[in-house]
Every structure is written in C-alpha cells, then in structure tokens.
C-alpha cells in the first residue's frame, strides 16, 4: 500500500482489461493522479467511478483519444501535464490493437489494418514517450511498455500485432540505452495470457477461464512504477513467471541500492 504515494501516471488503453486494472491498482497504491486514455469515454467514466470508490483522493483525468491520430497523442500529453501541473512520473504504454479477427496470415493481411495496428501499438508509444519525456526528465520517472510473447516469437497469424510487439521490444531497448543515467528508466513487461476482450477475440475457440485475470499480473507494474525499481533500466519482465522472468540478482541489486533496503 502507498507504494505510489504522490506519483502521477498516464496509462493508455485504460477503458478495460489490463489498463483498467492498472489504473485501479495504481490508485490503490496511493497515486496522486492518473490520466486514463482510450476511445471509449463511457467506459473510462466507469473506471473513474470504480477508482473513486476505493481511492477518493486520487485525481483521475479521463481523456478520450484515438492513439492512431498524431493530434490526439499531442492532446493526451498536453492535457495530462496541464491537469497535473507539469508532473508526470509514470507512463504506461498499454493500449493495443490485435488487428482483424480471424487473424489473417501476412500474405492476406490488408494494408490498412497493418498500418492501424502498427500506429496503435508502436508509433503511438514512440510519440507518447517523445512528448512526455521533457516533463519526466525533470524529476526522473518510469516508462513501462507492454509487450507480449508474440514480440519474441513469430507465431503464424499474429501478423501485424506480433510485428508491432517485436518493434516495441527493440524500441524499448533503444530508449533505455539512450536514456541511461537520465533518471528516466524504460522497461517492458509481457503480462502473459489474460482473460481480456483482446485475447477472447484473438483466440475465440479457446476457453478464456484458463487465462489469468488482469488483477493477477499487476504486481510487477507497481514495482516498476515505484521508487523500488529506480535503478532498473532496459529490462524485460514476464508478469506470470517466477521472479518475473528476471535473474534474482537483478532485483536484489535494485533493492539493495535503496537507502532503506
Ligand atoms: N490479453 C492477453 O492475453 C495479453 C497477452 C500479452 C500481452 N498483452 C498486452 O496487454 C496489453 C493490454 O491488453 P488487454 O488484453 O488488456 O486488451 P483489451 O482489454 O482489449 O484493452 C485494450 C485497450 O486498448 C485501447 N485501445 C485500443 N486501440 C486504441 C486506440 N486506437 N486508441 C486508444 N486506445 C486504444 C482499448 O480502448 P478503446 O477500445 O476504448 O479505445 C482498451 O482500453 C496490450 O498491450 C496487449 O498487447 C495482452
């Protein structure tokens, strides 16, 4: 509790699924303000109500935006910084599109769908980081990009989605290397299989109850958003693996670097 006390966060794709749960859990951890972004404003309103019930002190800003649009991205960052008086400590690039369903092979992949997925899943995080960075560099901060197993394995049919996640893994490594010693850290998390709208659309023939609930995978995100991880940069985490898929040493070093560890 209170691991995010006083922190300001921007979470994309927070109208449902993992993003919604992250917003709720960050608020429960004492975040001072959370900017929640998605296209469906009605659902964002519901998320705000859910947050206000459990964490009435957390300031919640709703931003209806289509992240495939450059002007919407600019508005998201500007509105967030305006509401939070220029403060931003945490950026979670979570919003993603799975693309057409059933998922076509690349040979049959429509160009417009391909562009839409890459714009949402890769170009939007690139632009959001670029635009948020000046505010984050001032006080240090944490950027968390959401990836997938499909970002390290080329599964047939996972087309533009998988390619966008390969992209976000590479982009995260590059940002992390370029920002080393800047005070802003960049890490990326594969949440693993979750029972969400996206996964139900991607694999409609599977039983979704075999997959984790978003609430089961948020601990690593809280860790990465909190000061406990402030010496962790350029790392890939797997939310459902033991030690989040990390060498225990990495976590131990990060923890021992804390003055109170
Ligand atoms: N579910 C899994 O098993 C799984 C596994 C590995 C990785 N992941 C990753 O986990 C993250 C969250 O996925 P999820 O399963 O929670 O998906 P989800 O429930 O379908 O949620 C996706 C979110 O992205 C938002 N979004 C999509 N396109 C957008 C756009 N153009 N502009 C703004 N917002 C947009 C959606 O909001 P609107 O529709 O309201 O815009 C929604 O809030 C994604 O990065 C995904 O790749 C998921």
């Amino acid at each position: 509790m209170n691991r995010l006390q006083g922190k300001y966060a921007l979470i994309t794709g927070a109208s449902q699924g993992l993003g919604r749960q992250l917003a709720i859990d960050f608020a429960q951890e004492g975040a001072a303000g959370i900017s929640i972004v998605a296209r469906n404003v009605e659902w964002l309103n519901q998320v705000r109500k859910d947050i206000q019930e459990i964490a009435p002190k957390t300031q919640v800003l709703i931003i209806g935006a289509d992240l495939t649009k450059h002007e919407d991205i600019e508005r998201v960052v500007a509105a967030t910084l305006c509401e939070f008086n220029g403060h931003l400590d945490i950026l979670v690039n979570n919003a993603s599109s799975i693309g057409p369903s059933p998922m076509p092979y690349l040979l049959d992949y429509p160009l417009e769908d391909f562009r839409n997925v890459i714009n949402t899943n890769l170009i939007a995080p690139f632009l959001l980081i670029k635009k948020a960075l000046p505010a984050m560099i001032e006080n240090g901060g944490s950027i968390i990009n959401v990836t997938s197993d499909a970002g390290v394995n080329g599964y047939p049919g996972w087309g533009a989605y998988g390619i966008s996640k390969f992209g976000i893994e590479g982009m995260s490594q590059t940002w992390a290397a370029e920002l080393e010693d800047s005070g802003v850290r960049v890490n990326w998390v594969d949440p693993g299989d979750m029972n969400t709208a996206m996964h139900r659309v991607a694999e409609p023939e599977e039983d979704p109850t075999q997959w984790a609930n978003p609430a089961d995978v948020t601990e690593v995100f809280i860790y990465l958003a909190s000061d406990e991880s402030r010496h962790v940069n350029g790392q890939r985490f797997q939310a459902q693996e033991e030690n989040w898929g990390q060498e225990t040493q990495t976590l131990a070093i990060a923890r021992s670097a804390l003055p109170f560890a």
Side-chain angles (χ1 to χ4, degrees), residues 16-35:
Q16 59 174 325
L18 177 61
R20 169 187 177 275
Q21 192 63 49
L22 289 174
I24 291 170
D25 288 4
F26 280 16
Q28 210 148 24
E29 287 292 340
I34 307 180
S35 172

Side-chain angles (χ1 to χ4, degrees), residues 100-111:
S101 176
M103 300 191 296
Y105 275 22
L106 285 177
L107 193 58
D108 302 316
Y109 215 99
L111 176 59

Side-chain angles (χ1 to χ4, degrees), residues 13 15 18 39-40 66-67 94 96 147 161 165 194 196 199:
S15 60
L18 177 61
R39 291 164 301 185
N40 191 323
D66 180 349
L67 295 173
N94 166 76
S96 278
T147 183
Y161 175 83
K165 294 298 183 183
M194 295 178 293
T196 64
H199 204 156

Side-chain angles (χ1 to χ4, degrees), residues 12-20 37-41 43-44 65-68 93-97 116 120-121 146-150 161 165 189-200 211 214:
T12 67
S15 60
Q16 59 174 325
L18 177 61
R20 169 187 177 275
V37 181
R39 291 164 301 185
N40 191 323
V41 173
W43 290 7
L44 288 176
D66 180 349
L67 295 173
T68 62
N93 282 308
N94 166 76
S96 278
S97 161
N116 183 60
T120 310
N121 302 6
V146 182
T147 183
S148 162
D149 184 33
Y161 175 83
K165 294 298 183 183
V189 180
D190 169 11
D193 290 338
M194 295 178 293
N195 183 2
T196 64
M198 176 187 290
H199 204 156
R200 291 191 294 271
W211 302 321

Side-chain angles (χ1 to χ4, degrees), residues 8-12 35-38 61-67 69-93 123-137 143:
Y8 292 91
L10 192 170
I11 303 174
T12 67
S35 172
I36 54 175
V37 181
L61 174 66
I62 288 174
I63 308 179
D66 180 349
L67 295 173
K69 297 183 178 154
H70 192 174
E71 62 273 22
D72 281 23
I73 291 172
E74 294 206 330
R75 184 167 50 80
V76 164
V77 177
T80 301
L81 293 178
C82 180
E83 183 78 5
F84 299 154
N85 294 320
H87 291 291
L88 188 62
D89 305 291
I90 305 154
L91 167 62
V92 186
N93 282 308
I123 308 285
F126 165 64
L127 290 172
L128 283 162
I129 294 171
K130 264 183 91 143
K131 295 191 184 303
L133 205 50
M136 295 184 83
I137 270 183
I143 295 170

